[in-house]
Amino acid sequence: MDTECKWLPVKVLTETETPMSTPSWPANLLAPPSTNMPREVNILIPIFPGFNLFDVSAMDILGSGGNQVTFKYTITSHTEDTKAAQGAIVKCYKSFVQVIYCIGDFHVLIQPGGRLEKISAYREDIDTFRQHLGIIDHLRTLCPIQSEPYILLSVGPGALLIAPTGAFSGLRVTTRHDMPELLRQDCEEYRRMHRGHPVTIIPQPDL
């Protein structure tokens, strides 16, 4: 079915925009439709070997949409079983290849992070990492759903898995206190190669 496409930028959220109080940014997304019919928000979580399982709890910031809003979570990975940093084995619901074909079904993407050595090793697996980036890139170039932008959320070091796509171009972003230079390098490389906009890196204190 043909639909009119209005191109709007994806809404990218980083830790500087995720207060624990009820956030305002997903208000339209989480609000029940005017017809008072139930609404389902589909959330995609791409994971990788050594990802931080606690980062997935970032979904809590979505708050409660009330009785008429439910959240459906889909875990995607390159492999059927993925071991988290905490040792748990997490089964994916869909592979990267399967997700590409239904990427338009999702409203929110939450990218968890992990230890630097795990992220670095994952990025060195070129083919797999390209598929991972492809999912993010597809989401950020989609038409919005009923004029509502898709939401892309990174948690901590997860920003290092998003930056190569250029999603942070022209924005203010942050990551772990020991990784801002790596994030800056990724953002600057994209800017040079694709004529993107400068990215402002907000340092975090070493707590």
Side-chain angles (χ1 to χ4, degrees), residues 1 6 11 24 26 69 88 95 103 116 136 141 161 181 196 201 205:
M1 180 175 64
K6 296 180 180 179
K11 174 64 175 175
S24 60
V69 177
S95 68
I103 192 67
L116 179 58
I136 298 171
T141 56
L161 299 173
E181 188 54 37
I201 309 296

Side-chain angles (χ1 to χ4, degrees), residues 30 32 39 63-71:
L30 302 185
R39 179 170 186 178
S64 173
N67 295 331
Q68 293 180 310
V69 177
T70 59
F71 300 109

Side-chain angles (χ1 to χ4, degrees), residues 8 18 35 37 61 64 85 99 101-102 106 127 133 146 152 162 174 182 198 206:
L8 295 177
T18 55
T35 57
M37 294 293 291
I61 69 166
S64 173
V99 161
Y101 287 103
C102 62
F106 299 98
D127 290 338
L133 295 180
Q146 297 179 351
L152 175 59
I162 293 179
T174 188
L182 295 174
D206 184 358

Side-chain angles (χ1 to χ4, degrees), residues 7-66:
W7 291 100
L8 295 177
V10 67
K11 174 64 175 175
V12 180
L13 302 176
T14 64
E15 288 172 296
T16 57
E17 297 181 283
T18 55
M20 293 309 296
S21 58
T22 304
S24 60
W25 51 263
N28 292 335
L29 180 64
L30 302 185
S34 57
T35 57
N36 292 322
M37 294 293 291
R39 179 170 186 178
E40 184 175 81
V41 176
N42 296 318
I43 300 173
L44 180 65
I45 306 176
I47 61 176
F48 60 95
F51 79 100
N52 189 343
L53 191 59
F54 294 123
D55 284 354
V56 178
S57 64
M59 62 184 68
D60 292 341
I61 69 166
L62 294 175
S64 173

